[in-house]
Amino acid sequence: MSASRTPCVAGNWKLHHGRAQATQLASALAQAPLAPSVEVVVAPVFTCLSAVNDALAPSHRIGLAAQHVHWEDEGAFTGEVGPAHLVDVGCTHGIVGHSERRQHFGDSDERVAKRVRALLQHHLKVILCVGETQQQRASGSYGDVLRQQIRAALAGCAPSAPNPSILVAYEPIWAIGTGLAATPEDAQEAHAIVRNALADTLGAEQAEISPILYGGSVKPENAQALTAQPDVDGALVGGASLRFESFTDIIAAVALNY
Ligand code: PGA
Protein backbone atom coordinates (compact mmCIF):
# COMPACT_ATOMS: atom_id res chain seq x y z
CA MET A 1 0.00 0.00 0.00
CA SER A 2 1.15 3.51 -0.76
CA ALA A 3 -0.59 6.84 -1.16
CA SER A 4 1.06 7.34 -4.55
CA ARG A 5 -0.54 4.25 -6.08
CA THR A 6 -4.15 3.26 -6.71
CA PRO A 7 -4.78 -0.24 -5.34
CA CYS A 8 -6.28 -2.72 -7.76
CA VAL A 9 -8.15 -6.00 -7.34
CA ALA A 10 -8.45 -7.95 -10.58
CA GLY A 11 -10.43 -11.16 -11.03
CA ASN A 12 -8.94 -13.63 -13.50
CA TRP A 13 -11.79 -15.94 -14.43
CA LYS A 14 -9.49 -18.15 -16.54
CA LEU A 15 -11.44 -20.78 -18.51
CA HIS A 16 -14.56 -20.52 -16.33
CA HIS A 17 -17.99 -18.94 -16.59
CA GLY A 18 -19.93 -19.05 -19.85
CA ARG A 19 -22.06 -16.16 -21.01
CA ALA A 20 -24.95 -16.63 -18.55
CA GLN A 21 -22.78 -16.91 -15.43
CA ALA A 22 -20.33 -14.26 -16.57
CA THR A 23 -23.00 -11.64 -17.23
CA GLN A 24 -24.82 -12.50 -14.00
CA LEU A 25 -21.65 -12.01 -11.95
CA ALA A 26 -20.73 -8.83 -13.84
CA SER A 27 -24.22 -7.35 -13.30
CA ALA A 28 -24.07 -8.13 -9.60
CA LEU A 29 -20.65 -6.46 -9.34
CA ALA A 30 -21.86 -3.45 -11.31
CA GLN A 31 -24.66 -2.95 -8.79
CA ALA A 32 -22.62 -3.63 -5.67
CA PRO A 33 -21.39 -0.77 -3.48
CA LEU A 34 -17.69 -1.50 -4.04
CA ALA A 35 -15.11 0.52 -2.12
CA PRO A 36 -14.29 3.56 -4.27
CA SER A 37 -10.61 3.57 -3.24
CA VAL A 38 -9.92 0.30 -5.06
CA GLU A 39 -9.75 -0.18 -8.83
CA VAL A 40 -11.71 -3.31 -9.73
CA VAL A 41 -11.14 -5.33 -12.91
CA VAL A 42 -12.58 -8.59 -14.24
CA ALA A 43 -11.08 -10.84 -16.92
CA PRO A 44 -13.61 -13.19 -18.54
CA VAL A 45 -12.92 -15.52 -21.47
CA PHE A 46 -12.72 -13.85 -24.89
CA THR A 47 -16.19 -14.96 -25.98
CA CYS A 48 -17.81 -13.22 -22.99
CA LEU A 49 -15.94 -9.90 -23.18
CA SER A 50 -18.63 -8.06 -25.10
CA ALA A 51 -21.54 -9.32 -22.98
CA VAL A 52 -19.63 -8.63 -19.76
CA ASN A 53 -18.83 -5.12 -21.00
CA ASP A 54 -22.56 -4.49 -21.44
CA ALA A 55 -23.32 -5.94 -18.00
CA LEU A 56 -20.66 -3.73 -16.36
CA ALA A 57 -21.89 -0.54 -18.07
CA PRO A 58 -24.07 0.72 -15.19
CA SER A 59 -21.08 0.90 -12.85
CA HIS A 60 -18.78 3.06 -15.05
CA ARG A 61 -15.85 2.00 -12.89
CA ILE A 62 -15.15 -1.72 -13.23
CA GLY A 63 -12.39 -2.42 -15.71
CA LEU A 64 -12.55 -5.17 -18.31
CA ALA A 65 -9.44 -7.23 -19.03
CA ALA A 66 -8.54 -9.76 -21.68
CA GLN A 67 -6.55 -12.72 -20.37
CA HIS A 68 -4.26 -12.75 -23.39
CA VAL A 69 -3.52 -10.68 -26.50
CA HIS A 70 -1.68 -11.02 -29.78
CA TRP A 71 0.69 -8.19 -30.72
CA GLU A 72 -0.59 -7.62 -34.26
CA ASP A 73 -3.78 -5.68 -35.01
CA GLU A 74 -4.78 -7.75 -38.01
CA GLY A 75 -3.51 -10.23 -40.55
CA ALA A 76 -3.21 -13.95 -41.19
CA PHE A 77 -3.08 -15.04 -37.53
CA THR A 78 -5.76 -17.69 -37.19
CA GLY A 79 -7.14 -17.96 -33.69
CA GLU A 80 -5.54 -14.81 -32.34
CA VAL A 81 -7.17 -11.68 -30.92
CA GLY A 82 -5.30 -8.40 -31.26
CA PRO A 83 -5.31 -5.23 -29.16
CA ALA A 84 -7.53 -3.26 -31.57
CA HIS A 85 -10.19 -5.95 -31.24
CA LEU A 86 -9.95 -5.73 -27.46
CA VAL A 87 -10.54 -1.98 -27.61
CA ASP A 88 -13.45 -2.65 -29.95
CA VAL A 89 -15.29 -4.77 -27.32
CA GLY A 90 -14.63 -2.34 -24.48
CA CYS A 91 -11.51 -3.73 -22.84
CA THR A 92 -9.52 -1.43 -20.60
CA HIS A 93 -6.81 -3.89 -19.52
CA GLY A 94 -4.89 -6.91 -20.74
CA ILE A 95 -3.20 -9.62 -18.67
CA VAL A 96 0.16 -10.61 -20.10
CA GLY A 97 2.71 -13.25 -19.16
CA HIS A 98 0.52 -15.31 -16.85
CA SER A 99 2.44 -18.42 -15.80
CA GLU A 100 -0.23 -20.67 -17.31
CA ARG A 101 0.43 -19.08 -20.70
CA ARG A 102 4.17 -19.28 -20.24
CA GLN A 103 3.91 -22.93 -19.14
CA HIS A 104 1.23 -24.40 -21.42
CA PHE A 105 1.34 -22.15 -24.47
CA GLY A 106 5.03 -21.40 -24.87
CA ASP A 107 4.88 -17.70 -24.05
CA SER A 108 8.51 -16.57 -24.02
CA ASP A 109 9.85 -13.37 -22.47
CA GLU A 110 10.25 -12.00 -25.98
CA ARG A 111 6.60 -12.63 -26.85
CA VAL A 112 5.47 -11.21 -23.53
CA ALA A 113 7.41 -8.02 -24.34
CA LYS A 114 5.65 -7.72 -27.71
CA ARG A 115 2.25 -8.10 -26.07
CA VAL A 116 3.09 -5.45 -23.47
CA ARG A 117 4.09 -2.98 -26.18
CA ALA A 118 0.97 -3.72 -28.26
CA LEU A 119 -1.36 -3.08 -25.32
CA LEU A 120 0.36 0.18 -24.36
CA GLN A 121 0.23 1.42 -27.95
CA HIS A 122 -3.53 0.99 -27.81
CA HIS A 123 -3.75 2.75 -24.43
CA LEU A 124 -4.81 -0.43 -22.70
CA LYS A 125 -3.53 -1.01 -19.19
CA VAL A 126 -1.10 -3.90 -18.83
CA ILE A 127 -1.16 -6.38 -15.96
CA LEU A 128 2.24 -8.02 -16.43
CA CYS A 129 2.56 -11.28 -14.50
CA VAL A 130 5.89 -12.50 -13.18
CA GLY A 131 6.71 -15.23 -10.70
CA GLU A 132 9.04 -18.07 -9.83
CA THR A 133 8.58 -21.84 -9.64
CA GLN A 134 8.78 -23.82 -6.41
CA GLN A 135 12.25 -25.00 -7.41
CA GLN A 136 13.49 -21.48 -8.06
CA ARG A 137 12.16 -20.39 -4.68
CA ALA A 138 13.80 -23.36 -2.93
CA SER A 139 17.15 -22.72 -4.62
CA GLY A 140 17.07 -19.03 -3.76
CA SER A 141 17.27 -17.90 -7.39
CA TYR A 142 13.86 -16.24 -7.41
CA GLY A 143 15.27 -12.73 -7.20
CA ASP A 144 17.24 -13.22 -10.40
CA VAL A 145 14.20 -14.82 -12.06
CA LEU A 146 11.95 -11.88 -11.20
CA ARG A 147 14.53 -9.28 -12.27
CA GLN A 148 15.04 -11.07 -15.59
CA GLN A 149 11.29 -11.35 -16.28
CA ILE A 150 10.74 -7.64 -15.58
CA ARG A 151 13.72 -6.54 -17.64
CA ALA A 152 12.80 -8.75 -20.60
CA ALA A 153 9.14 -7.73 -20.65
CA LEU A 154 9.60 -4.00 -20.19
CA ALA A 155 13.03 -3.02 -21.50
CA GLY A 156 11.65 -2.09 -24.92
CA CYS A 157 8.86 0.16 -23.73
CA ALA A 158 10.43 2.89 -21.59
CA PRO A 159 7.76 5.61 -21.54
CA SER A 160 8.80 9.24 -22.00
CA ALA A 161 6.88 10.05 -18.82
CA PRO A 162 5.71 7.78 -15.99
CA ASN A 163 2.87 5.71 -17.41
CA PRO A 164 -0.07 4.83 -15.12
CA SER A 165 -1.00 2.00 -17.49
CA ILE A 166 1.79 -0.32 -16.31
CA LEU A 167 0.76 -2.71 -13.50
CA VAL A 168 2.67 -5.80 -12.45
CA ALA A 169 1.38 -8.92 -10.72
CA TYR A 170 3.77 -11.00 -8.66
CA GLU A 171 2.39 -14.52 -8.83
CA PRO A 172 4.60 -17.25 -7.38
CA ILE A 173 3.68 -20.32 -9.41
CA TRP A 174 3.69 -22.54 -6.33
CA ALA A 175 0.93 -20.41 -4.82
CA ILE A 176 -1.45 -20.39 -7.78
CA GLY A 177 -4.51 -22.55 -7.19
CA THR A 178 -2.79 -24.45 -4.38
CA GLY A 179 -4.30 -22.76 -1.34
CA LEU A 180 -0.73 -22.00 -0.22
CA ALA A 181 -0.44 -18.23 -0.48
CA ALA A 182 2.88 -16.52 0.16
CA THR A 183 3.17 -15.07 3.65
CA PRO A 184 2.82 -11.28 3.76
CA GLU A 185 6.54 -11.04 4.59
CA ASP A 186 7.62 -13.23 1.66
CA ALA A 187 5.26 -11.33 -0.66
CA GLN A 188 6.73 -8.00 0.52
CA GLU A 189 10.28 -9.20 -0.08
CA ALA A 190 9.43 -10.30 -3.63
CA HIS A 191 7.46 -7.12 -4.34
CA ALA A 192 10.42 -5.00 -3.25
CA ILE A 193 12.62 -6.96 -5.67
CA VAL A 194 10.07 -6.36 -8.45
CA ARG A 195 9.87 -2.65 -7.65
CA ASN A 196 13.65 -2.31 -7.72
CA ALA A 197 13.73 -4.13 -11.05
CA LEU A 198 11.08 -1.72 -12.35
CA ALA A 199 13.23 1.21 -11.22
CA ASP A 200 16.31 -0.25 -12.93
CA THR A 201 14.37 -0.88 -16.15
CA LEU A 202 11.98 2.08 -16.42
CA GLY A 203 13.20 4.54 -13.81
CA ALA A 204 12.39 5.39 -10.21
CA GLU A 205 9.30 7.47 -10.99
CA GLN A 206 7.69 4.63 -12.93
CA ALA A 207 8.51 2.19 -10.13
CA GLU A 208 6.87 4.53 -7.62
CA ILE A 209 3.54 4.77 -9.47
CA SER A 210 3.17 1.20 -10.80
CA PRO A 211 0.85 -0.89 -8.63
CA ILE A 212 2.28 -4.34 -7.92
CA LEU A 213 -0.49 -6.85 -7.24
CA TYR A 214 0.02 -10.13 -5.41
CA GLY A 215 -1.54 -13.26 -6.95
CA GLY A 216 -1.69 -16.85 -5.73
CA SER A 217 -4.43 -18.23 -3.45
CA VAL A 218 -5.74 -14.81 -2.40
CA LYS A 219 -8.85 -15.22 -0.25
CA PRO A 220 -10.98 -12.91 1.90
CA GLU A 221 -9.02 -14.20 4.91
CA ASN A 222 -5.54 -13.23 3.71
CA ALA A 223 -6.21 -10.22 1.44
CA GLN A 224 -5.96 -7.55 4.12
CA ALA A 225 -2.68 -8.78 5.61
CA LEU A 226 -1.05 -9.19 2.20
CA THR A 227 -2.04 -5.73 0.98
CA ALA A 228 -1.04 -4.10 4.27
CA GLN A 229 2.58 -4.59 3.14
CA PRO A 230 4.21 -1.43 1.78
CA ASP A 231 4.85 -2.76 -1.73
CA VAL A 232 1.71 -4.89 -2.16
CA ASP A 233 -0.85 -2.73 -3.96
CA GLY A 234 -3.70 -5.12 -4.56
CA ALA A 235 -4.44 -8.62 -5.77
CA LEU A 236 -4.83 -10.70 -8.89
CA VAL A 237 -7.40 -13.27 -7.87
CA GLY A 238 -8.21 -16.54 -9.62
CA GLY A 239 -10.49 -19.04 -7.90
CA ALA A 240 -11.92 -16.64 -5.33
CA SER A 241 -12.95 -14.17 -8.06
CA LEU A 242 -15.48 -16.60 -9.52
CA ARG A 243 -18.05 -16.01 -6.78
CA PHE A 244 -19.61 -12.67 -5.94
CA GLU A 245 -19.25 -13.04 -2.16
CA SER A 246 -15.61 -14.02 -2.03
CA PHE A 247 -14.56 -11.45 -4.66
CA THR A 248 -16.38 -8.55 -3.03
CA ASP A 249 -15.11 -9.63 0.40
CA ILE A 250 -11.55 -9.45 -0.98
CA ILE A 251 -12.19 -5.95 -2.37
CA ALA A 252 -13.58 -4.86 1.01
CA ALA A 253 -10.61 -6.40 2.85
CA VAL A 254 -8.11 -4.61 0.60
CA ALA A 255 -10.01 -1.32 1.01
CA LEU A 256 -9.47 -1.49 4.77
CA ASN A 257 -5.83 -0.57 4.09
CA TYR A 258 -6.65 2.59 2.08
P1 PGA B 1 -5.64 -18.39 -7.69
O1 PGA B 1 -5.08 -17.90 -9.13
O2 PGA B 1 -6.16 -17.15 -6.99
O3 PGA B 1 -6.73 -19.35 -8.02
O4 PGA B 1 -4.49 -18.98 -6.97
C1 PGA B 1 -4.39 -16.68 -9.29
C2 PGA B 1 -4.00 -16.47 -10.73
O5 PGA B 1 -3.60 -17.43 -11.41
O6 PGA B 1 -4.07 -15.34 -11.24
Side-chain angles (χ1 to χ4, degrees), residues 24 47 79 221:
Q24 197 181 24
T47 52
E221 299 75 38

Side-chain angles (χ1 to χ4, degrees), residues 12 14 98 100 171 175-178 215-218 236-240:
N12 175 9
K14 306 192 182 185
H98 192 282
E100 287 155 16
E171 296 208 309
I176 295 177
T178 59
S217 298
V218 175
L236 179 54
V237 187

Side-chain angles (χ1 to χ4, degrees), residues 1-225:
M1 61 178 290
S2 156
S4 57
R5 298 184 284 275
T6 305
C8 174
V9 175
N12 175 9
W13 295 353
K14 306 192 182 185
L15 187 50
H16 297 288
H17 286 344
R19 202 176 145 96
Q21 281 169 301
T23 51
Q24 197 181 24
L25 178 52
S27 300
L29 291 170
Q31 282 152 38
L34 305 176
S37 57
V38 178
E39 179 180 22
V40 177
V41 179
V42 293
V45 298
F46 278 134
T47 52
C48 296
L49 283 170
S50 189
V52 167
N53 186 47
D54 291 346
L56 293 176
S59 94
H60 298 295
R61 62 157 302 237
I62 301 178
L64 180 66
Q67 298 175 18
H68 171 60
V69 64
H70 187 51
W71 51 84
E72 297 284 353
D73 275 339
E74 57 178 29
F77 303 106
T78 303
E80 290 294 336
V81 178
H85 287 82
L86 299 184
V87 172
D88 193 36
V89 292
C91 282
T92 53
H93 293 65
I95 298 174
V96 170
H98 192 282
S99 61
E100 287 155 16
R101 297 227 51 101
R102 294 180 192 256
Q103 213 177 327
H104 305 308
F105 304 100
D107 226 357
S108 61
D109 280 338
E110 191 193 1
R111 288 173 171 218
V112 169
K114 286 182 173 184
R115 300 186 207 287
V116 169
R117 284 202 296 274
L119 288 172
L120 292 177
Q121 272 161 13
H122 286 268
H123 306 290
L124 289 160
K125 290 193 180 187
V126 173
I127 301 176
L128 166 66
C129 302
V130 297
E132 80 282 0
T133 62
Q134 174 72 68
Q135 204 186 359
Q136 289 162 339
R137 168 130 305 246
S139 72
S141 65
Y142 57 94
D144 290 339
V145 170
L146 296 174
R147 280 186 282 271
Q148 161 61 20
Q149 287 176 342
I150 291 288
R151 202 179 312 124
L154 295 174
C157 70
S160 48
N163 187 342
S165 295
I166 300 174
L167 292 80
V168 177
Y170 167 63
E171 296 208 309
I173 296 170
W174 45 270
I176 295 177
T178 59
L180 298 169
T183 63
E185 295 72 25
D186 284 349
Q188 168 56 30
E189 191 215 3
H191 281 231
I193 291 169
V194 168
R195 200 172 303 285
N196 282 330
L198 273 173
D200 289 345
T201 311
L202 299 181
E205 278 186 86
Q206 183 65 55
E208 183 58 27
I209 67 160
S210 276
I212 305 175
L213 318 184
Y214 168 80
S217 298
V218 175
K219 303 180 267 274
E221 299 75 38
N222 60 19
Q224 188 186 353

